[in-house]
């Protein structure tokens, strides 16, 4: 385990198993509705989860990326800023947003609103983690990997000041690292 990690919350194996399960569920539900989603991954945190999940979605999906920022250190800051926009047109498209974590919910709410304004047919959300205790806006992911307590976590895409994204598990960062 990395020396700055207090404890592991979700192991690499649990993540792999969950991605498989979510991939199957997504495949079945979209097949039943005869929809094929465009996966929109929010950079950079959702990249490891996207690559794990996409392998298990048996549909002819397309993938695109957006980069929005809402976070500085461990504190959420109001409105989001678009650093990188989509390449694909989303008019009439069913979008499945891929997130690393839903925390206050502000990012998802803003991005969903934006995609709908651009003419998306529907916007659904799959998130590896959900921290419901921190929610300040009314939004819920359609597919959630793990519901976690109100602790600052890193690894499997999640960072603290751009570090720890490469850890293969989700861990709780030692308090002395960010206090
Ligand atoms: P929200 O807009 O508050 O829901 O924030 C979502 C974004 O905040 C996520 O995509 C993460 O990048 C970041 N974030 C929220 N909680 C954590 C955490 O515990 N560790 C690392 N990043 C986090």
């Amino acid at each position: 385990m990395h020396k700055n990690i207090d404890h592991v919350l979700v192991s690499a194996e649990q993540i792999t198993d969950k991605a498989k399960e979510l991939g199957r569920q997504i495949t079945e539900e979209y097949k039943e509705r005869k929809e094929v989603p465009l996966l929109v991954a929010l950079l950079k945190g959702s990249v490891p989860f996207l690559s794990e999940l996409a392998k298990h979605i048996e549909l002819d999906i397309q993938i695109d990326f957006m980069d929005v920022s809402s976070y500085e250190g461990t504190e959420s800051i109001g409105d989001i800023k678009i650093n990188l926009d989509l390449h694909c047109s989303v008019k009439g498209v069913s979008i499945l947003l891929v997130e690393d974590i839903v925390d206050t919910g502000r990012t998802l709410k803003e991005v969903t609103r934006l995609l709908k304004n651009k003419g998306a047919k529907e916007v659904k959300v799959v998130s590896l983690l959900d921290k419901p205790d921190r929610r300040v806006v009314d939004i819920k992911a359609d597919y959630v990997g793990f519901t976690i307590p109100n602790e600052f976590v890193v690894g499997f895409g999640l960072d603290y000041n751009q570090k720890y994204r490469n850890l293969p598990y989700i861990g709780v960062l030692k308090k002395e690292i960010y206090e």
Side-chain angles (χ1 to χ4, degrees):
M1 193 170 69
H2 191 288
K3 65 178 181 359
N4 295 348
I5 298 296
D6 187 70
H7 59 278
V8 173
L9 208 57
V10 189
S11 71
E13 198 191 347
Q14 285 175 299
I15 296 172
T16 313
D17 290 349
K18 187 62 80 174
K20 216 176 272 177
E21 184 189 317
L22 287 173
R24 283 202 196 113
Q25 192 188 343
I26 288 165
T27 304
E28 275 172 28
E29 291 184 12
Y30 279 81
K31 264 190 185 159
E32 209 172 292
R33 299 195 294 121
K34 297 189 171 40
E35 295 279 352
V36 178
L38 164 69
L39 265 57
V40 172
L42 299 183
L43 295 172
K44 304 167 190 165
S46 70
V47 170
F49 178 48
L50 167 75
S51 50
E52 201 55 54
L53 177 73
K55 292 189 280 191
H56 303 291
I57 301 180
E58 292 176 19
L59 299 164
D60 289 333
I61 56 160
Q62 292 186 35
I63 298 174
D64 206 347
F65 296 94
M66 269 183 97
D67 181 16
V68 301
S69 44
S70 68
Y71 247 70
E72 303 246 308
T74 61
E75 284 304 310
S76 181
I77 51 155
D79 283 354
I80 58 159
K81 191 175 123 214
I82 297 174
N83 303 316
L84 175 80
D85 211 342
L86 296 170
H87 284 83
C88 300
S89 159
V90 299
K91 227 178 166 55
V93 172
S94 291
I95 292 177
L96 180 59
L97 267 178
V98 183
E99 249 297 36
D100 50 1
I101 188 167
V102 189
D103 188 39
T104 65
R106 286 194 185 107
T107 310
L108 273 189
K109 188 148 195 179
E110 286 296 307
V111 174
T112 301
R113 190 177 56 88
L114 199 124
L115 294 171
K116 284 198 173 146
N117 283 348
K118 283 187 174 193
K121 182 175 166 190
E122 68 170 24
V123 182
K124 289 189 177 277
V125 177
V126 54
S127 182
L128 175 61
L129 304 174
D130 186 14
K131 234 197 260 182
D133 295 349
R134 290 257 308 163
R135 202 75 90 253
V136 298
V137 297
D138 184 24
I139 194 149
K140 219 171 130 245
D142 301 274
Y143 306 94
V144 171
F146 303 93
T147 300
I148 63 163
N150 184 10
E151 284 181 297
F152 193 77
V153 292
V154 294
F156 213 80
L158 290 136
D159 74 305
Y160 172 63
N161 285 344
Q162 299 303 326
K163 285 197 279 186
Y164 313 107
R165 293 191 197 275
N166 56 324
L167 298 179
Y169 50 81
I170 304 285
V172 175
L173 198 59
K174 284 185 180 162
K175 282 216 163 60
E176 66 256 33
I177 305 299
Y178 59 87
E179 272 180 359

